[in-house]
């Protein structure tokens, strides 16, 4: 079956070409045996004439014809392997079919060329390009890519779209697609039906040679259309080249015209040599020229270069396309443009040189003008106010020192003036140079220079005039200055004497004794004896001042100032002298009054001293007696208490004498008496002693009362108390009423306490000290000593005893109720306990239960209450 199909396909291909020669074949093996139709087929498909065939019927004639055909095939570069003329003449079907396939490959497929590919690859590329726009078509080979028939339909539709309605085709209907393509190709394209639709659909991999042969028929069928397309492309290409050349010509003409017009406009601007007056204007011209060189000219350079490139390119294209050379319009040749450009650059170079020369000239002028302005400004600033200064008549009111200072200042000014002579000459020289260089603003420069020269002459004349006036005034003021100096030398000590005298006469003296006031009176009398001599000195000083006034009036000196050596003037001297004379009698009266006051103060001192010298010793004696009473142990504590209270009453009865002394002290204070040589006692001493006396008697009475309370509470006998007192007094060697730590320790040892001299003994003594001296003051009072001794020797209540008593009231319970407390204790004491007892927290407690145990320990300081 396959052999038959192969035979049929090749027969159809051969007949498609033999029809052009007016013949057909029925059987490939039989019809090609004589070689005649084989040679005809090769002439049709190659377009060439083969050697003349043999027309005989003999075998040799047939072999000769077949060899001619095979030689022609070999001449086309085809190698025929194992195919000989005898096999063809003998009707060998395999050899004949192989030969036909070789012919198909060489003449139907091998000549196909697409983008430098050939044969199979070229044909495949041609198919891919033609079918690329169609959906569902993807040609990758010559077998399965054609199974759905859409590839064949796409090739037909691409070249003859009117033959197939491609939009109605479906990929899932390959039979319809294949038959449609085969029928249309055979009917309208004269391509024989070499393939069978059922064979292609029913085969997993269709025959590649058959499909390639059939597709090559499409390529050759459409090659005519391809040639037309190529011809159209060639015409379009020629026209495009011509149009491009014409556009290049137009572009050249326009670009040349624009460039020449720009050169024509630019050259007059560059040839303009009209100078500007200011550097700013010339710099603007230079900036414009720089903009021209930097911004405007570079694009034109580029245009000129591009114009030459375009011209050369155009001429080359015209030459390559066999066109006549381009001849630009008159005056627009490249040489014309180069000549115009050369003129532009010549003008440009001359313009730049002119600009730089002008800028250098203006720079020189501006430099000179600026130098002139700076020097003129400096000179004018220096001269500002100088004429007014030289015309001032300040020397008429100046002092000698000021005149000398003005002379020094004027000499310095003269030196400065001479130094400025050079600047004035430089200003004139610069102005002359500006005139010679034709500076545009020369009139204003000349006017300013003339003003400076005129002012300079005026300053010289004023300087000489002022120098003469200053020297004349200096001589007059030196004479006056000598008189001023003499006046100051004599007036100053005299003025100091008067001020000291006034200060002494007005001094508020403070004296405390008769002797002091008598000394002041004696000194005052000695002062009054010096007044006549002082008056003579005053008259001599005033005479010096009168001589100064005479000189001023004679020589018309304007004395605006005062004496530079002193601020003292005659009016002040006279005023102070008058004041001294007024103060002398006032001082006399003040001394008399003070003498009387001191006599009264002496009487008050003696009155206070008489009483204080009695009261002071009395208080001291009473203090000593109370101390002895508190130490001595005569009788019982009650007898001592009675004795002390009687003693206290006698002390209180002494109070009127203290009050009388307070009255005398008040009189002394009102008289501002601060010392009293008649007594060592002051009122403060008396008050402190009196207060200590009252405090001591009260404290002593309180100690006896506390001893009685301690004795009664602790059950201490009178003998024990006496023993404690005797021991305490024995070790209280300074009679201060207190014992130090070591004294207290010795006292305890004397009373039988075992305090060893080791660490245990020290700890025990520290415990005792914390009891008797809780504030850590380092002393032990007798009361603290008695409390400690009573605690150590007496039978006292303990926390356990109180706790046992509460347990009785509670009915032997570990807690107590508020009702039980109110029932057994007085109301205030019951409330006291209820307020301070903590709630009972034991397991046997009931609501409202109170903890009497912690309360009992707190009473004795063993826990917090």
């Amino acid at each position: 079956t396959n052999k038959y199909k192969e035979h049929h396909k090749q027969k159809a291909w051969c007949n498609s070409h033999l029809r052009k020669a007016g013949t057909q074949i029925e059987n490939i093996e039989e019809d090609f045996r004589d070689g005649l139709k084989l040679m005809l087929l090769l002439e049709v498909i190659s377009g060439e004439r083969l050697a003349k065939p043999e027309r005989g019927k003999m075998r040799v004639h047939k072999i000769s014809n077949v060899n001619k055909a095979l030689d022609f095939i070999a001449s086309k570069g085809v190698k025929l392997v194992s195919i000989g003329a005898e096999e063809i003449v003998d009707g060998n079907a395999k050899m004949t079919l192989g030969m036909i396939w070789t012919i198909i490959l060489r003449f139907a497929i091998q000549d196909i060329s697409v983008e430098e590919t050939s044969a199979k690859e070229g044909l495949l590329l041609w198919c891919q390009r033609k079918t690329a726009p169609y959906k569902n078509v993807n040609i990758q080979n010559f077998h399965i890519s054609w199974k759905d028939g859409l590839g064949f339909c796409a090739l037909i539709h691409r070249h003859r779209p009117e033959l197939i309605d491609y939009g109605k085709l479906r990929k899932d209907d390959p039979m319809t697609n294949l038959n449609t393509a085969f029928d249309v190709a055979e009917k309208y394209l004269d391509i024989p039906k070499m393939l069978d639709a059922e064979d292609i659909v029913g085969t997993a991999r269709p025959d590649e040679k058959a499909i390639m042969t059939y597709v090559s028929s499409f390529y050759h069928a459409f090659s005519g259309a391809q040639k037309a397309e190529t011809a159209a492309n060639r015409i379009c290409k020629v026209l495009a080249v011509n149009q491009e050349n014409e556009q290049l010509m137009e572009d050249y003409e326009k670009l040349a015209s624009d460039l020449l017009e720009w050169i024509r406009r630019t050259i007059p601007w560059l040839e303009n040599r009209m100078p500007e007056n200011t550097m700013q204007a010339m710099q603007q011209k230079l900036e414009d020229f720089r903009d021209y060189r930097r911004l405007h000219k570079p694009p034109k350079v580029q245009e000129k270069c591009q114009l030459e490139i375009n011209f050369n390119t155009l001429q080359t294209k015209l030459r390559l396309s066999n066109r006549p050379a381009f001849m630009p319009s008159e005056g627009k040749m490249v040489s014309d443009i180069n000549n115009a450009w050369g003129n532009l650059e010549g003008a440009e170079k001359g313009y730049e040189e002119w600009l730089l020369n002008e800028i250098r000239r203006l720079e020189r002028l501006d430099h000179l003008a600026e130098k002139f302005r700076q020097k003129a400004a400096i000179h004018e600033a220096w001269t500002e106010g100088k004429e007014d200064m030289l015309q001032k008549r300040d020397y008429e009111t100046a002092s000698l020192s000021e005149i000398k200072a003005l002379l020094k200042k004027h000499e310095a000014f003269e030196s400065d003036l001479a130094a400025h002579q050079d600047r004035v000459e430089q200003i004139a020289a610069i102005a002359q140079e500006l005139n010679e260089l034709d500076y545009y603003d020369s009139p204003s420069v000349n006017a300013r220079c003339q003003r400076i020269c005129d002012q300079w002459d005026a300053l010289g004349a004023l300087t000489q005039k002022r120098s003469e006036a200053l020297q004349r005034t200096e001589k007059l003021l030196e004479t006056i200055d000598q008189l001023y100096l003499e006046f100051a030398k004599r007036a100053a000590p005299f003025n100091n004497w008067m001020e000291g005298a006034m200060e002494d006469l007005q001094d508020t003296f403070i004296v405390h004794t008769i002797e002091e006031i008598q000394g002041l009176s004696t000194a005052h009398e000695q002062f009054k004896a010096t007044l006549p001599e002082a008056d003579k000195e005053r008259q001599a000083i005033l005479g010096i001042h009168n001589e100064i006034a005479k000189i001023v009036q004679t020589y018309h000196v304007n004395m605006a100032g005062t004496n530079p050596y002193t601020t003292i003037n005659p009016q002040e001297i006279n005023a102070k002298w008058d004041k001294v004379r007024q103060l002398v009698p006032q001082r006399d009266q003040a001394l008399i009054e003070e003498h009387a006051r001191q006599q009264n103060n002496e009487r008050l001192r003696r009155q206070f001293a008489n009483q204080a010298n009695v009261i002071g010793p009395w208080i001291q004696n009473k203090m000593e007696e109370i101390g002895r009473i508190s130490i001595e142990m005569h009788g019982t504590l009650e007898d001592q208490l009675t004795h002390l209270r009687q003693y206290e009453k006698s002390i209180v009865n002494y109070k009127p004498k203290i009050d009388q002394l307070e009255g005398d002290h008040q009189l002394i204070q009102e008289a501002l008496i601060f010392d009293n040589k008649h007594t060592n006692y002051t009122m403060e001493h008396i008050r402190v002693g009196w207060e200590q006396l009252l405090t001591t008697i009260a404290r002593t009475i309180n100690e006896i009362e506390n001893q009685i309370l301690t004795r009664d509470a602790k059950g201490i006998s009178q003998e024990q108390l006496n023993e404690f007192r005797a021991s305490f007094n024995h070790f209280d060697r300074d009679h201060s009423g207190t014992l130090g730590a070591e004294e207290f320790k010795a006292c305890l040892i004397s009373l039988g306490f075992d305090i060893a001299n080791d660490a245990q003994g020290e700890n025990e003594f520290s415990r005792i000290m914390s009891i008797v001296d809780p504030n850590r003051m380092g002393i032990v009072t007798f009361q603290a000593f008695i409390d400690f001794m009573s605690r150590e020797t007496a039978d006292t209540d303990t926390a356990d005893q109180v706790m046992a008593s509460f347990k009785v009231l509670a009915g032997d319970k570990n807690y107590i109720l508020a009702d039980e407390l109110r029932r057994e204790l007085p109301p205030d004491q019951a409330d006291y306990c209820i307020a301070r007892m903590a709630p009972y927290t034991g397991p046997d407690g009931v609501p409202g239960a109170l903890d009497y145990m912690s309360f009992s320990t707190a009473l004795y300081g063993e826990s917090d209450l």
Side-chain angles (χ1 to χ4, degrees), residues 494 497-498 527 529-541 573 577 580:
F494 185 72
W497 176 84
M498 288 191 298
F527 168 74
T530 63
L531 291 177
E533 188 65 28
D535 189 39
K536 291 180 181 180
E537 179 65 15
R538 180 180 68 86
Q539 293 296 337
I541 293 170
I573 291 174
W577 178 255
V580 169

Side-chain angles (χ1 to χ4, degrees), residues 147 175 178 196-206:
K147 286 191 66 174
M175 289 294 294
L178 290 167
D196 183 69
E198 293 180 357
D199 185 36
I200 293 175
V201 173
T203 304
R205 190 174 187 274

Side-chain angles (χ1 to χ4, degrees), residues 25 43 64 76 155 199 246 257 276 345 362 373 393 412 416 464 555 602 615 634 639 646 659 723 807:
I25 60 172
E43 287 180 347
S64 176
K76 297 300 180 182
L155 286 176
D199 185 36
E246 290 178 355
S257 299
E276 300 289 344
E345 291 191 332
L362 288 175
R373 285 191 291 270
R393 305 179 70 86
D416 195 13
Q464 181 62 31
Y555 295 99
E602 183 65 17
I615 294 174
H634 298 298
D639 293 340
Q646 291 175 352
D659 294 340
E723 182 183 359
K807 193 166 189 177

Side-chain angles (χ1 to χ4, degrees), residues 47 79 87 114 117 162 194 231 267 313 367 380 385 468 471 521 546 611 614 633 672-673 688 700 722 753:
K79 293 182 179 181
E87 286 83 358
V114 180
T117 61
E162 74 280 3
M194 303 178 194
I267 288 177
T313 301
H367 172 71
E380 288 167 350
E468 294 171 355
Q471 291 173 3
S521 298
N546 292 334
Q611 295 186 69
V614 173
M633 297 171 292
L672 300 178
I673 299 171
V688 172
T700 304
N722 291 340
F753 281 80

Side-chain angles (χ1 to χ4, degrees), residues 121-132:
E121 290 79 8
L123 183 62
L124 182 64
L125 179 60
W126 178 81
C127 295
Q128 289 173 342
R129 288 190 171 181
K130 295 299 180 180
T131 60

